[in-house]
Amino acid sequence: MKLVLKIFLLAFFIIGDKSYSLSDYQIKKLCKKEKRKLTCIKNLQEKKFNLQKGKLIEIPVIPYKR
């Protein structure tokens, strides 16, 4: 049981450390509906490059409204 737990934790730390950023197409698609498209694209691309460099980024959480 301990061996299975150790393998699971090891796999979690190896796989969980990798994160993927949005493609340029996805960024443009998300910013299509915004009033200030260029500002939105610039901000998301800046966050994308910071994420790829390994820097921490802030991700806002928007509550779901029914």
Side-chain angles (χ1 to χ4, degrees), residues 1-10:
M1 185 68 176
K2 289 183 181 182
L3 179 63
V4 174
L5 181 62
K6 287 181 182 180
I7 292 173
F8 175 74
L9 289 175
L10 180 63

Side-chain angles (χ1 to χ4, degrees), residues 2-61:
K2 289 183 181 182
L3 179 63
V4 174
L5 181 62
K6 287 181 182 180
I7 292 173
F8 175 74
L9 289 175
L10 180 63
F12 177 73
F13 285 118
I14 291 172
I15 296 171
D17 192 32
K18 297 179 183 177
S19 58
Y20 300 100
S21 58
L22 296 173
S23 67
D24 289 334
Y25 175 75
Q26 290 172 328
I27 290 174
K28 289 178 184 176
K29 188 176 175 182
L30 283 172
C31 293
K32 189 184 225 182
K33 301 173 186 173
E34 297 291 324
K35 287 183 180 180
R36 298 181 180 166
K37 294 177 189 175
L38 294 177
T39 306
C40 176
I41 292 171
K42 181 182 171 187
N43 288 337
L44 287 177
Q45 285 180 343
E46 186 177 313
K47 288 181 182 182
K48 173 184 173 181
F49 292 130
N50 286 338
L51 183 64
Q52 288 175 345
K53 290 180 183 177
K55 296 181 181 178
L56 295 177
I57 61 171
E58 186 176 323
I59 301 172
V61 178

